[in-house]
Amino acid sequence: RQPLSSRLAGERLCSAEEATAGSGTYTRHGFIFSSLAGCLERRSEDGGLPVLSVVRDSESQLLPNVGAVVTCKVCSINSRFAKVHILYVGSTPLKSTFRGTIRREDIRATEKDKVEVYKSFRPSDIVLAKVISLGDAQSNYLLSTAENELGVVVARSEAGLQMVPISWCEMQCPRTHTKEFRKVARVQPQFLQT
């Protein structure tokens, strides 16, 4: 097990025929890529292919991986998806922002064909979502809010106040009592960002 040179996240390491993908790597289109920034390690298995792992430097960037719950801020919406910036992985703040997309079909678990993006999110909403794929070259992560615990956790009303969730699909301004549609998260306390 000898540490090799440092690698960037998303860097292509080798053909999947030459080695097995270990921790900190993933396989796509027949190649092994680094899923985080860190040192490449090659561990030889008895007679089999060597296992490639990328071990994070203590200082290097934490990256959202598939299955991680992330906190993100909505930047823009259209009829097909919401664009977001990922701010936290779990409760760890990210040093740099990653872009993510929540597609219309990934907003809810049920009645997906009836979902309307603008009734689920608005720009500047803070949303809890789960990473469902590592996206593409633009490091655009695909996110889902299809579970009850996921969705909007903080939203401001037109009056600029933090709205209160009143149902799984509505939030209300405490001053004007105006209701707005949202895909509201049933928040678990460990995910609340203060």
Side-chain angles (χ1 to χ4, degrees):
R1 190 195 244 272
Q2 79 273 26
L4 297 160
S5 57
S6 62
R7 293 293 185 217
L8 299 171
E11 191 173 331
R12 192 165 90 180
L13 304 175
C14 71
S15 159
E17 292 166 10
E18 298 169 42
T20 306
S23 61
T25 68
Y26 62 94
T27 308
R28 178 175 292 166
H29 306 312
F31 290 95
I32 298 175
F33 293 84
S34 171
S35 64
L36 47 89
C39 285
L40 179 66
E41 289 191 352
R42 186 186 300 267
R43 199 172 61 243
S44 297
E45 298 290 314
D46 300 331
L49 289 173
V51 176
L52 286 189
S53 305
V54 177
V55 181
R56 181 179 294 124
D57 311 323
S58 54
E59 287 301 297
S60 74
Q61 174 67 276
L62 174 70
L63 283 176
N65 51 13
V66 173
V69 173
V70 296
T71 305
C72 42
K73 184 174 189 172
V74 178
C75 309
S76 64
I77 59 171
N78 65 26
S79 60
R80 298 190 325 280
F81 52 76
K83 291 276 187 201
V84 301
H85 280 151
I86 300 170
L87 309 173
Y88 287 79
V89 175
S91 57
T92 309
L94 292 171
K95 293 191 184 100
S96 56
T97 43
F98 291 92
R99 291 196 298 268
T101 301
I102 305 170
R103 298 175 302 188
R104 194 172 76 106
E105 59 268 29
D106 297 323
I107 292 175
R108 291 191 186 281
T110 56
E111 298 186 319
K112 295 181 180 195
D113 51 333
K114 296 183 183 164
V115 172
E116 293 180 76
V117 178
Y118 79 95
K119 286 188 174 178
S120 305
F121 309 116
R122 299 283 172 88
S124 83
D125 285 357
I126 302 296
V127 174
L128 273 183
K130 187 170 271 185
V131 179
I132 53 174
S133 112
L134 292 176
D136 50 30
Q138 287 83 45
S139 69
N140 207 335
Y141 288 82
L142 282 181
L143 309 175
S144 165
T145 55
E147 295 168 37
N148 289 340
E149 284 72 32
L150 306 175
V152 176
V153 285
V154 179
R156 297 208 172 273
S157 66
E158 308 258 314
L161 296 172
Q162 190 167 322
M163 294 197 289
V164 180
I166 52 172
S167 75
W168 58 274
C169 63
E170 282 186 308
M171 289 181 141
Q172 186 171 33
C173 175
R175 183 190 296 155
T176 64
H177 304 296
T178 309
K179 293 175 186 174
E180 292 184 24
F181 287 107
R182 289 293 195 283
K183 195 296 180 181
V184 180
R186 186 175 73 210
V187 181
Q188 297 171 321
Q190 71 262 35
F191 292 129
L192 276 172
Q193 306 296 348
T194 47

